[in-house]
Amino acid sequence: MQFGFESDVAKEVMRRRNDGKTARTQYETDWEQISRIYHPNRQGFASTIRRDRDNMGALYNSTTLTTARNSVANLYSALCNPANVWFQLETADPELRDYGPMKKWSAYVSDLMLASFRPGVSNFYSAAMNLVADFGILGTGVAVDEELYGKQKIVTQPINPGDCFIFVDAFGMVTEIIIEFRLTIVQAARKYGLENLPEDLRKKVGEKDQNTAEYMFLQAIQPNDDFVAGQLGNNNKPVVSTHVSETGKAVVKQSGFYEMPACAARWFADTGQSYGRGLGFLNLPSGKVLQQMEKDNLQAAGFAARPPIVTAGTRANKLMQQLRPGALMHNGLSLQGQRLMAPLLTSQTLPISVQMTERKAKEVEDGWHAAMMALSGSRTGITDLEVMERIEERLTLIAPFMGNFQTEALMPLLRRRFAILYRAGQIPRPPIDLGGQPLNITFTSIAAQAQKASGAVTARRFINDIGGLAQLDPSVMDHVSTHQLVEALAGAGLPVGIVRSQEDVDRIQAQRAQQQQLLEAAAVTQQGADTAATLANAGLLEGTQ
């Protein structure tokens, strides 16, 4: 394919973008209102609105901002906190999973993949905060994960939902994303090469605005319908990436990927919908009411503190400009003793009580699950079991939506990281031939642990109950399988290696039994020797007197 010339491929990408723009229109109005209250740095979704618009001055109560940000921070910490081991690689076969060498290999590969997300290799964690924010607030979070060849880096770029167009297949899965972005001539030349740009853009090199004027470009990430395994060129990769210049309707770059590099996580999306609706949509009415209530109160307080001055004419207008506390207002009275200026009386009480505002702010906080992971305000002295029960209860409300993020965002990124490391030769061969056995990703984040904690909570309750019965009848413990009990408690998400495999347990128990037999044999021998010595001292053995 020749780059820089008008082509049918570029026209098809632009047509596809226009189709996506029509489908996205119904969401843009909601996104704009939500962003003004909860997510100010994501404004300007409609094409008629400037993207650099600052709406912070239109807010009158910061509860909407702080609550949304706290909720996003809680989600981030619960899903992919860099301080925690938030996923593990393992096989689907339970017996193979407990095999010692395989377990160590899985743990090593998991650590290797986790290291690929750290700042030295990737910007994932800084990008994930924006991805989670778009996901939780707007309902749709988009990101692109690409390798920087020659720099040993993997860049995760969060994409503003207003800058991309999402397409789903018949099963509702995201299969195609088109991204809009603007570049100056200098930026475009460095990104694609000057020779690959359309002639209309090449002519602008050297002009005064080459570093300021921006031009629209598109990147279409789509399934490769012409994919042929083993063939040379871009057709040997299942995903094709096409960069198009809107000026000149030309393709400026085309490449391929072995895996889908883009992900789109949706908080809640009905069947067939490309975009989701998040907590910002659900809490939009309460947020708007809270801001309006605060605005009305501020205006009422302003009228009470600085009431408008009613004047009798031009002379009084001039006198009004001299108003200040403690000042002498000459000529403020007429010759007949009438005041030429008087404050316009307003209500001395606020139209909206403080309690009403506080109730609305509490409604906003509850809508955002502000206390999702925090136990502030709880009484002191609660047990670990009570803490687990409370966290489990609070996460139950949003567990399905966190599952959507894991499925639509984290899982594609993890699969791609594994494939990138495998192609780079950094992942060693497994200790045994898996024979086509698939590898699974198990999430071990705080959220995943809380979701799995129900089994551990039930097991702890069982221990408390059975312990009381065992004091009355010790034979009750004969009904308890301690091995299965340990497995249930460990199911809450303990790191690999804390609970030994069944092979290790059997070996340790066999060694312990052998040592016990040796100790018993030694004790019997020692006891016989002691008995013989006692009899000899008493003169009871043969040959003694």
Side-chain angles (χ1 to χ4, degrees):
M1 175 181 294
Q2 286 187 322
F3 298 145
F5 296 93
E6 183 174 324
S7 67
D8 292 337
V9 174
K11 293 178 182 179
E12 176 61 22
V13 170
M14 294 173 63
R15 184 197 65 78
R16 188 69 168 154
R17 183 272 310 269
N18 293 335
D19 291 343
K21 185 176 295 186
T22 302
R24 201 188 65 187
T25 302
Q26 59 178 316
Y27 297 90
E28 292 178 349
T29 302
D30 292 337
W31 286 347
E32 187 64 29
Q33 295 185 67
I34 292 169
S35 296
R36 290 181 181 182
I37 298 175
Y38 296 113
H39 203 14
N41 62 323
R42 284 287 196 246
Q43 294 184 74
F45 291 99
S47 58
T48 57
I49 302 175
R50 288 176 54 84
R51 285 295 172 85
D52 58 354
R53 181 177 176 180
D54 185 4
N55 190 60
M56 293 296 292
L59 298 179
Y60 301 92
N61 190 308
S62 61
T63 300
T64 55
L65 296 178
T66 56
T67 304
R69 285 298 169 184
N70 290 341
S71 180
V72 168
N74 284 332
L75 280 172
Y76 173 82
S77 299
L79 290 167
C80 52
N81 189 343
N84 300 327
V85 178
W86 49 276
F87 69 89
Q88 290 177 353
L89 182 72
E90 59 184 20
T91 62
D93 187 348
E95 295 183 359
L96 188 60
R97 187 188 312 153
D98 292 335
Y99 176 55
M102 190 65 196
K103 199 170 186 177
K104 293 180 180 178
W105 179 86
S106 300
Y108 174 79
V109 176
S110 299
D111 292 341
L112 192 65
M113 292 175 61
L114 193 64
S116 72
F117 289 97
R118 291 172 183 163
V121 180
S122 173
N123 67 327
F124 169 78
Y125 290 113
S126 59
M129 190 64 182
N130 290 326
L131 179 61
V132 173
D134 290 339
F135 167 73
I137 298 175
L138 299 178
T140 303
V142 182
V144 177
D145 199 55
E146 294 192 64
E147 300 174 72
L148 293 182
Y149 294 101
K151 296 185 179 180
Q152 299 297 315
K153 292 213 177 261
I154 305 175
V155 176
T156 302
Q157 181 182 4
I159 306 297
N160 187 337
D163 291 332
C164 64
F165 307 91
I166 302 172
F167 303 88
V168 298
D169 60 13
F171 303 100
M173 304 298 294
V174 176
T175 58
E176 180 181 353
I177 295 178
I178 297 179
I179 304 169
E180 285 184 335
F181 52 94
R182 295 181 177 274
L183 299 175
T184 65
I185 297 298
V186 174
Q187 291 172 333
R190 290 174 177 171
K191 183 177 179 66
Y192 302 118
L194 183 61
E195 68 281 1
N196 293 326
L197 298 180
E199 183 178 359
D200 291 343
L201 294 183
R202 293 199 302 268
K203 291 179 180 179
K204 296 182 180 297
V205 175
E207 294 184 359
K208 290 188 298 183
D209 64 347
Q210 67 173 3
N211 288 306
T212 55
E214 295 181 335
Y215 301 88
M216 179 68 73
F217 289 83
L218 306 174
Q219 181 186 8
I221 304 175
Q222 303 165 310
N224 189 355
D225 296 331
D226 299 324
F227 169 65
V228 179
Q231 181 174 330
L232 297 178
N234 292 327
N235 287 340
N236 72 330
K237 296 180 181 178
V239 181
V240 62
S241 172
T242 306
H243 293 252
V244 172
S245 169
E246 194 174 67
T247 302
K249 301 177 182 178
V251 176
V252 294
K253 179 183 177 182
Q254 192 173 57
S255 59
F257 296 96
Y258 291 102
E259 310 85 24
M260 182 65 170
C263 64
R266 297 162 295 172
W267 183 270
F268 177 80
D270 287 332
T271 304
Q273 289 185 341
S274 300
Y275 302 90
R277 298 190 184 276
L279 288 173
F281 175 80
L282 298 177
N283 292 282
L284 181 59
S286 58
K288 292 172 66 175
V289 171
L290 175 61
Q291 295 296 338
Q292 187 62 46
M293 291 172 65
E294 199 69 42
K295 179 181 179 181
D296 292 343
N297 267 351
L298 289 173
Q299 287 180 340
F303 273 111
R306 298 178 299 277
I309 305 299
V310 180
T311 69
T314 305
R315 183 182 179 190
N317 288 339
K318 294 180 179 179
L319 294 174
M320 185 178 65
Q321 298 176 5
Q322 305 173 24
L323 282 175
R324 62 182 184 274
L328 295 176
M329 301 305 299
H330 298 287
N331 299 319
L333 297 175
S334 68
L335 296 177
Q336 291 77 24
Q338 295 175 338
R339 290 190 298 174
L340 300 180
M341 296 180 296
L344 179 65
L345 297 178
T346 60
S347 175
Q348 299 299 313
T349 60
L350 295 178
I352 301 172
S353 67
V354 175
Q355 290 76 14
M356 293 172 62
T357 305
E358 289 178 348
R359 283 200 300 268
K360 187 56 63 175
K362 182 67 164 55
E363 181 181 323
V364 171
E365 293 176 351
D366 291 342
W368 283 91
H369 307 287
M372 177 183 63
M373 295 298 295
L375 292 175
S376 59
S378 301
R379 63 179 177 82
T380 58
I382 60 177
T383 64
D384 293 342
L385 182 59
E386 290 178 289
V387 172
M388 293 176 63
E389 289 175 341
R390 293 187 182 193
I391 293 178
E392 180 188 4
E393 179 182 357
R394 291 170 181 176
L395 285 178
T396 298
L397 296 175
I398 61 172
F401 310 109
M402 291 192 294
N404 290 344
F405 189 82
Q406 292 171 341
T407 301
E408 297 186 334
L410 297 181
M411 188 64 76
L413 291 175
L414 288 169
R415 288 173 177 168
R416 177 161 168 75
R417 289 301 172 97
F418 179 88
I420 289 174
L421 295 173
Y422 182 81
R423 287 193 295 268
Q426 297 188 25
I427 294 181
R429 296 182 63 84
I432 59 175
D433 185 8
L434 297 179
Q437 183 71 234
L439 295 174
N440 292 338
I441 296 292
T442 300
F443 290 100
T444 58
S445 61
I446 294 176
Q449 293 178 25
Q451 293 170 18
K452 297 177 181 178
S454 58
V457 171
T458 303
R460 290 193 176 196
R461 291 173 182 162
F462 177 75
I463 292 175
N464 292 335
D465 295 340
I466 205 71
L469 292 176
Q471 294 179 359
L472 299 176
D473 183 4
S475 64
V476 171
M477 298 304 298
D478 296 338
H479 298 274
V480 179
S481 171
T482 55
H483 173 71
Q484 296 297 328
L485 189 60
V486 170
E487 291 291 331
L489 293 173
L494 289 177
V496 175
I498 291 183
V499 179
R500 292 189 174 97
S501 65
Q502 187 60 44
E503 294 179 354
D504 293 339
V505 172
D506 294 340
R507 184 177 65 256
I508 292 173
Q509 291 177 346
Q511 292 175 352
R512 184 183 296 120
Q514 184 178 6
Q515 292 175 356
Q516 184 65 28
Q517 291 176 356
L518 293 175
L519 290 175
E520 291 177 355
V524 171
T525 302
Q526 182 64 37
Q527 183 178 3
D530 292 342
T531 302
T534 301
L535 294 174
N537 292 334
L540 298 178
L541 292 180
E542 293 182 1
T544 61
Q545 295 180 355

